[in-house]
Amino acid sequence: MTLRLAVVGGGWAGMAAAQSAAGPGVDVTVFEAARELGGRARALLLLRPDGVPVHLDNGQHILIGAYVQTLACMEQAGVPLSESLLELPLGLPFPDGSGLQTPVWAIRWPASLALLATMLTARGWSWADRLGLMRVAWRWQLQGFVCAPSDTVATLCQGLSVRVMADLIEPLCVSALNLPTRRAGGQVFLRVMRDALLGQGFANWRASSLLLPRTNLGILFPEAASRWLTATLDHRFRLRMGERVTGLRPEPSGWRLMGDGFDDPFDQVIWATSAGPASQVMHQLAQTTADSGEHPWSSSLGAWAEACGSLGFTAITTVYAWSPGLRLSQPMLALRDSPAAPAQFVFDRGQLHPNDASMQGVLAFVVSASAGERSALERAVLQQAREQLELHDLQPIRTIVEKRATFACTPDLRRPGPHLAPGLQAAGDYLDGPYPATLEAAVRSGVAAGTQVRVQAGRNSPDDGITSGRV
Ligand SMILES: Cc1cc2nc3c(=O)[nH]c(=O)nc-3n(C[C@H](O)[C@H](O)[C@H](O)COP(=O)(O)OP(=O)(O)OC[C@H]3O[C@@H](n4cnc5c(N)ncnc54)[C@H](O)[C@@H]3O)c2cc1C
């Protein structure tokens, strides 16, 4: 008998869930409220100030070689990885040439030696800076990259110099956890460090390699996954774009999903929206089912909705700007940030898309953990570009403030788990797991939920040709 699966949400978690569940005996329907797939990591068509259309993203994203499940899903979906991602060795170079950069002669060295070479050659660092970092990194390793749940990243970094904090730890922490070190949870930071610096990367990539998208984020995974699902499942895959699920109701044999003009039955549901709508709908479901008294899981679902609803969020702002003929010294540069100069990174989209004329001269400035209002942020970033990059004729394309970009990955955080009720699971970057809110966290949770469905469908044979061996 065929199992009818509904996936609610066509972000990276939802598409990974659909892909992982796909196989003989499973019909997959994805409901996506928006007009495009990808959620917070989606493509966006914008206009340059001279009227030329340019394909950008909802926010500039970066992957690393340690994103093994994301890269495996992309590969399975048919995305040509080496063409679609520009690999850069770990580095945080500033426009003045200071900062960390793996020396060219060490790029092919074993990871730990390359890291050592990077530290020893960091420009502007004293021997005290380097020794301090080695001592602290050694301490982390001795502790097995584990710390007290209440530790912040700042606590873990006691003993590091101001220079090492400014050139390395602060930019790494804000880019990975979207919080400054004094607020960010130490345990998740250590896990990211361990996996990125000492872990196994996907295929031949170093775990610590920075992977910059060379296509827009829609093409990079969600649209490819949708094509793969159509090719694999044919009419057993349905994509219902622009359809928001507003409620669900348990039935003896599964679930009914309701929305504007539909009320459809499914055997299993993976709820893959962000935390806000997940908390709302599950809260409602817990209340209605508790009233009837028939469902023993209503109270645990209520607790889940509460945990989900109590997560805090931090913003990310992306300022896209353009100047004809502009080219930075590198595809990605770190910037010195302060409240008046809020961007931490700038990306040269022209270098990432060398064959796309519309992209030449387009920069993406990233303000992680951003605060304040859109136009003030835009002005401050353009001023920062004048001062730190000597770019005086940049014209803004669009400034996008994502207020709820990531959950606030603070110490002692209790994240909700994936189990909601029988036949109803959650997927999304906010669920309990080793990583902060990232593409990898989203995809991992989606793969886990999808695989569970396939196991339950009794079709989880390793040689059915659906699951990539690496996932
Ligand atoms: C500006 C920005 C920059 C970022 N940079 C990075 C980065 O460099 N590297 C990195 O790894 N991560 C980065 N992230 C984080 C990353 O984008 C997210 O962790 C990831 O996209 C979350 O995916 P998701 O599928 O869990 O959730 P979402 O992307 O939120 O997807 C949920 C989907 O559900 C849909 N939906 C919601 N409600 C309903 C409903 N009722 N019915 C049907 N559909 C519904 C939404 O429209 C959406 O498409 C960044 C995020 C932002 C915003």
Side-chain angles (χ1 to χ4, degrees):
M1 214 183 81
T2 301
L3 184 153
R4 297 160 304 171
L5 170 70
V7 177
V8 183
W12 287 52
M15 295 313 287
Q19 194 179 15
S20 305
V26 184
D27 277 12
V28 179
T29 302
V30 173
F31 290 86
E32 169 51 57
R35 304 224 161 272
E36 61 290 306
L37 292 171
R40 277 167 280 163
R42 67 178 184 277
L44 216 55
L45 182 62
L46 300 177
L47 279 186
R48 282 190 341 201
D50 60 351
V52 172
V54 56
H55 288 273
L56 292 163
D57 302 305
N58 179 52
Q60 176 66 44
H61 278 61
I62 180 166
L63 292 77
I64 59 174
Y67 281 14
V68 287
Q69 296 211 3
T70 306
L71 294 164
C73 282
M74 285 163 59
E75 185 176 69
Q76 184 187 38
V79 175
L81 294 183
S82 51
E83 284 165 38
S84 309
L85 295 163
L86 173 68
E87 182 187 11
L88 298 177
L90 179 65
L92 295 167
F94 289 88
D96 62 4
S98 64
L100 287 182
Q101 202 154 17
T102 310
V104 180
W105 41 265
I107 285 176
R108 297 281 147 228
W109 287 11
S112 50
L113 290 179
L115 262 174
L116 192 64
T118 308
M119 270 194 253
L120 293 177
T121 55
R123 281 184 54 189
W125 285 26
S126 67
W127 281 104
D129 294 333
R130 296 181 178 121
L131 286 174
L133 178 56
M134 281 184 214
R135 243 194 325 265
V136 168
W138 183 241
R139 192 173 71 218
W140 293 347
Q141 192 155 6
L142 280 182
Q143 293 168 349
F145 288 91
V146 174
C147 67
S150 58
D151 282 349
T152 63
V153 175
T155 317
L156 293 179
C157 295
Q158 276 165 4
L160 289 182
S161 67
V162 172
R163 182 83 203 210
V164 172
M165 288 303 286
D167 278 11
L168 178 66
I169 305 292
E170 288 289 358
L172 278 184
C173 181
V174 85
S175 59
L177 273 69
N178 196 24
L179 279 178
T181 53
R182 64 178 190 290
R183 289 192 55 212
Q187 189 49 70
V188 174
F189 180 76
L190 281 183
R191 175 59 191 261
V192 174
M193 289 294 106
R194 191 196 78 181
D195 288 3
L197 301 181
L198 304 176
Q200 189 68 38
F202 181 74
N204 294 326
W205 275 321
R206 282 254 163 89
S208 61
S209 285
L210 307 179
L211 304 175
L212 309 190
R214 305 190 83 148
T215 68
N216 67 52
L217 292 172
I219 295 175
L220 199 59
F221 176 58
E223 289 164 21
S226 168
R227 273 196 305 278
W228 180 88
L229 282 157
T230 305
T232 305
L233 296 182
D234 193 12
H235 63 279
R236 293 189 296 115
F237 171 59
R238 278 171 290 274
L239 183 56
R240 295 176 55 170
M241 298 298 297
E243 295 198 38
R244 180 178 299 277
V245 179
T246 53
L248 69 174
R249 195 170 63 233
E251 293 203 314
S253 62
W255 295 90
R256 231 165 223 288
L257 294 193
M258 286 99 70
D260 192 10
F262 64 90
D263 181 342
D264 299 334
F266 292 91
D267 301 307
Q268 299 225 7
V269 177
I270 296 176
W271 193 275
T273 71
S274 56
S279 153
Q280 250 171 18
V281 168
M282 297 311 152
H283 182 71
Q284 214 175 46
L285 176 63
Q287 274 189 331
T288 49
T289 52
D291 292 346
S292 77
E294 285 170 31
H295 304 285
W297 41 261
S298 335
S299 68
S300 62
L301 186 68
W304 187 96
E306 203 142 303
C308 192
S310 67
L311 291 172
F313 292 89
T314 38
I316 301 180
T317 296
T318 308
V319 178
Y320 288 113
W322 172 74
S323 175
L326 171 67
R327 192 180 162 88
L328 297 181
S329 59
Q330 309 217 21
M332 170 190 162
L333 287 170
L335 297 171
R336 302 271 173 212
D337 67 315
S338 68
Q344 296 93 7
F345 294 98
V346 57
F347 295 80
D348 183 344
R349 298 289 294 232
Q351 289 189 49
L352 297 174
H353 309 263
N355 301 322
D356 182 345
S358 71
M359 211 64 94
Q360 302 313 304
V362 174
L363 301 185
F365 292 87
V366 175
V367 186
S368 292
S370 70
E373 171 266 322
R374 197 188 65 81
S375 56
L377 280 164
E378 184 176 286
R379 271 197 308 279
V381 166
L382 293 179
Q383 180 61 24
Q384 186 179 7
R386 277 181 221 114
E387 287 167 8
Q388 295 185 18
L389 296 164
E390 292 177 20
L391 299 176
H392 295 279
D393 54 357
L394 270 184
Q395 301 172 54
I397 298 176
R398 172 85 65 91
T399 293
I400 302 161
V401 182
E402 269 281 347
K403 287 223 160 78
R404 292 164 69 94
T406 66
F407 68 83
C409 196
T410 47
D412 281 327
L413 185 67
R414 287 188 48 226
R415 290 154 70 176
H419 182 71
L420 299 172
L424 176 62
Q425 303 180 72
D429 63 350
Y430 63 94
L431 293 175
D432 196 18
Y435 289 124
T438 50
L439 298 174
E440 180 70 1
V443 167
R444 273 175 178 242
S445 75
V447 168
T451 306
Q452 181 98 348
V453 169
R454 223 148 52 81
V455 169
Q456 285 173 23
R459 302 285 178 183
N460 197 33
S461 97
D463 56 357
D464 64 6
I466 302 285
T467 305
S468 151
R470 291 197 193 88
V471 175

